[in-house]
């Protein structure tokens, strides 16, 4: 088991990562309020009730559609009805949606309660539970309303991965490959792996990804200096497609977004060809062939809402070489043209195969 400490100006977070982390660290003194979703609750109801005896449990509907103001207010109302005190603890027990909305509720209630994240999906373990970003979607824009609010501890136990469907494993691998494109050591581990979906491999590389994210968050907690921008590699196009098409998981769209943004980086001469090919091979090994889309310009247009943008320019973070990424700023028209060209390239590949 690994213990990773993330110290920021606002909070010290301790991330416990490995087998037995839940059993050892999930017992919390004082009042506890649990937020979970319907899928997780159906699997772990007995474990929740045994571990957090007497806690109030708020079960939200599983899925991204629950990340809205109505669900947030329902959580806050139940906190108040339960008499939750400021010094007591909100536990986010679930995946990324649960972690985001429970974290936001914890930051707002009485101007802040204690927060513990217990991520149960690969994506939330490897990425979203660490770093203190909380949010809900608003006006069809992902994560438009949110806060930076660090959890006091994050409990990352691989036992939860055993109940995940393959699609959720693929979703988490989207973020892991992102970290591989940012960190040379993680990239080399991915390149040397016989099976990216092996549970022992996932447990090991999850800790590596958390360590990388903790380092970046320490340097740039509130996303002001540019270091934290790198964590959005593949996300500009990925989020835009996710908002418009919405049929795949977040992590799968991150991989698709990374493919498109690699294409742009190559066209601009900013990414080494052999390295780009290795990243593309990792992407397709997880999700198969990149789909060809209709209305691709309209879908890509949602990128104008991305928080990384500056003025009228679209900002994307793309792989450059091992351990190095690059920020590319494009006019909206140039960005849409590149996305359309990549989609055309994929269509031509499919027709010739």
């Amino acid at each position: 088991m690994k213990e990773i400490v993330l110290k920021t100006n606002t909070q010290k977070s301790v991330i416990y990562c490995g087998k037995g982390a839940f059993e050892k660290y999930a017992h919390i003194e004082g009042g506890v309020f649990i937020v979970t979703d319907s899928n997780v609750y159906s699997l772990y109801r007995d474990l929740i009730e045994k571990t957090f005896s007497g806690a109030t449990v708020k079960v939200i509907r599983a899925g991204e559609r629950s990340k809205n103001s109505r669900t947030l207010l329902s959580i806050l109302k139940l906190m108040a009805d339960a008499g939750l005190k400021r010094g007591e603890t909100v536990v986010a027990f679930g995946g990324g949606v649960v972690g985001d909305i429970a974290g936001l509720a914890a930051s707002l209630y009485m101007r802040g309660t204690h927060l513990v994240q217990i991520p149960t999906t690969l994506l939330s373990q490897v990425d979203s539970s660490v770093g203190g970003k909380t949010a809900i979607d608003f006006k069809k824009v992902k994560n438009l309303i949110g806060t930076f609010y660090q959890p006091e501890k994050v409990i990352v136990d691989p036992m939860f991965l055993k109940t995940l469907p393959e699609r959720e494993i693929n979703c988490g691998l989207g973020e892991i490959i992102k970290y591989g494109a940012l960190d040379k050591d993680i990239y080399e581990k991915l390149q040397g792996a016989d099976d990216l979906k092996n549970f022992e491999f996932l447990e090991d590389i999850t800790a590596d990804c958390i360590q990388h994210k903790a380092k970046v968050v320490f340097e740039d907690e509130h996303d002001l200096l540019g270091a934290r921008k790198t964590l959005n590699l593949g996300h500009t196009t990925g989020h835009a497609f996710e908002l418009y098409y919405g049929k795949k998981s977040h992590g799968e769209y991150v991989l698709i977004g990374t493919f498109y943004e690699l294409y742009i980086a190559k066209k601009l001469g900013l990414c080494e060809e052999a390295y780009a090919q290795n990243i593309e091979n990792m992407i397709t090994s997880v999700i198969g062939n990149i789909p060809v889309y209709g209305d691709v310009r309209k879908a890509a247009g949602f990128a104008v809402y991305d928080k990384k943008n500056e003025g009228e320019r679209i900002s994307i973070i793309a792989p450059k070489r091992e351990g190095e990424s690059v920020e590319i700023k494009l006019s909206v028209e140039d960005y849409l043209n590149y996305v359309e060209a990549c989609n055309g390239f994929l269509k031509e590949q499919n027709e010739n195969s």
Side-chain angles (χ1 to χ4, degrees):
M1 186 186 305
K2 294 186 179 179
E3 182 177 316
I4 300 166
V5 178
L6 168 56
K7 265 192 172 182
T8 70
N9 292 329
T10 58
Q11 179 68 49
K12 173 185 171 184
S13 286
V14 183
I15 303 114
Y16 302 101
C17 183
K19 291 186 181 74
F22 181 85
E23 184 178 1
K24 188 171 183 179
Y25 295 107
H27 300 280
I28 298 167
E29 294 184 6
V32 174
F33 184 96
I34 311 287
V35 181
T36 189
D37 71 31
S38 51
N39 288 347
V40 175
Y41 195 58
S42 68
L43 289 167
Y44 296 111
R45 177 174 182 170
D46 291 345
L47 182 64
I48 290 170
E49 291 178 353
K50 178 183 176 182
T51 307
F52 307 104
S53 178
T56 302
V57 181
K58 171 65 176 179
V59 182
I60 67 174
R61 186 176 64 173
E64 185 76 20
R65 290 184 180 181
S66 288
K67 235 173 82 172
N68 57 52
S69 57
R70 185 176 64 253
T71 305
L72 174 65
L73 288 174
S74 74
I75 293 169
L76 292 168
K77 180 179 184 301
L78 187 56
M79 286 179 174
D81 291 344
L84 189 70
K85 305 294 190 296
R86 187 177 187 182
E88 295 177 334
T89 303
V90 172
V91 174
F93 193 108
V97 170
V98 167
D100 280 359
I101 199 167
L104 181 56
S107 75
L108 296 173
Y109 186 78
M110 293 189 174
R111 297 179 180 165
T113 67
H114 299 300
L115 173 65
V116 171
Q117 293 272 3
I118 303 178
T120 60
T121 64
L122 181 58
L123 182 143
S124 59
Q125 290 193 357
V126 85
D127 185 73
S128 64
S129 65
V130 176
K133 281 189 174 180
T134 78
I136 56 170
D137 303 337
F138 190 68
K139 292 183 73 66
K140 297 184 178 180
V141 180
K142 277 183 69 70
N143 303 327
L144 187 64
I145 295 175
T147 60
F148 290 93
Y149 195 70
Q150 299 293 341
E152 293 184 6
K153 62 181 176 180
V154 184
I155 300 165
V156 178
D157 196 314
M159 74 173 185
F160 295 115
L161 303 183
K162 294 177 181 177
T163 56
L164 295 179
E166 184 177 12
R167 183 182 182 188
E168 286 296 329
I169 297 295
N170 291 347
C171 183
L173 280 166
E175 294 289 349
I176 289 171
I177 290 172
K178 174 195 81 175
Y179 282 108
L182 296 172
D183 185 292
K184 186 175 181 180
D185 291 337
I186 295 173
Y187 170 78
E188 288 175 354
K189 275 192 176 181
L190 288 167
Q191 285 292 97
D194 294 326
D195 179 9
L196 296 184
K197 300 178 184 181
N198 175 276
F199 280 105
E200 288 187 5
F201 170 77
L202 291 175
E203 179 185 351
D204 180 55
I205 207 155
T206 292
D208 294 335
C209 295
I210 291 171
Q211 190 74 63
H212 180 95
K213 184 168 189 179
K215 177 179 178 292
V216 173
V217 173
F218 171 75
E219 294 172 358
D220 185 18
E221 180 185 7
H222 294 118
D223 219 350
L224 298 173
L225 305 176
R228 196 162 182 171
K229 262 189 177 183
T230 62
L231 299 177
N232 287 296
L233 186 144
H235 282 63
T236 300
T237 306
H239 273 169
F241 283 14
E242 185 177 1
L243 284 165
Y244 188 78
Y245 298 113
K247 293 180 180 179
K248 295 181 180 292
S249 68
H250 169 75
E252 289 169 321
Y253 279 118
V254 168
L255 291 174
I256 292 167
T258 301
F259 187 96
Y260 271 78
E261 291 170 16
L262 261 173
Y263 177 89
I264 295 171
K266 286 190 296 181
K267 286 295 181 182
L268 293 172
L270 297 173
C271 184
E272 297 174 352
E273 185 66 40
Y275 174 63
Q277 188 62 58
N278 287 340
I279 298 291
E280 290 170 4
N281 290 344
M282 282 194 281
I283 290 170
T284 55
S285 74
V286 172
I287 60 171
N289 291 332
I290 306 299
V292 175
Y293 289 107
D295 293 333
V296 71
R297 287 181 71 92
K298 190 172 182 180
F302 277 87
V304 300
Y305 301 110
D306 194 279
K307 295 182 290 300
K308 298 186 301 301
N309 295 338
E310 296 178 11
E312 299 298 315
R313 301 185 78 77
I314 303 293
S315 170
I316 65 174
I317 307 295
K320 185 176 182 180
R321 61 175 64 93
E322 288 185 34
E324 191 175 338
S325 60
V326 60
E327 182 178 13
I328 303 169
K329 297 177 183 179
L330 299 166
S331 70
V332 174
E333 187 64 22
D334 283 347
Y335 171 73
L336 295 178
N337 287 339
Y338 276 123
V339 169
E340 188 172 44
C342 183
N343 196 58
F345 165 75
L346 289 167
K347 183 178 181 182
E348 186 179 330
Q349 268 195 332
N350 286 356
E351 288 172 351
N352 293 334
S353 62

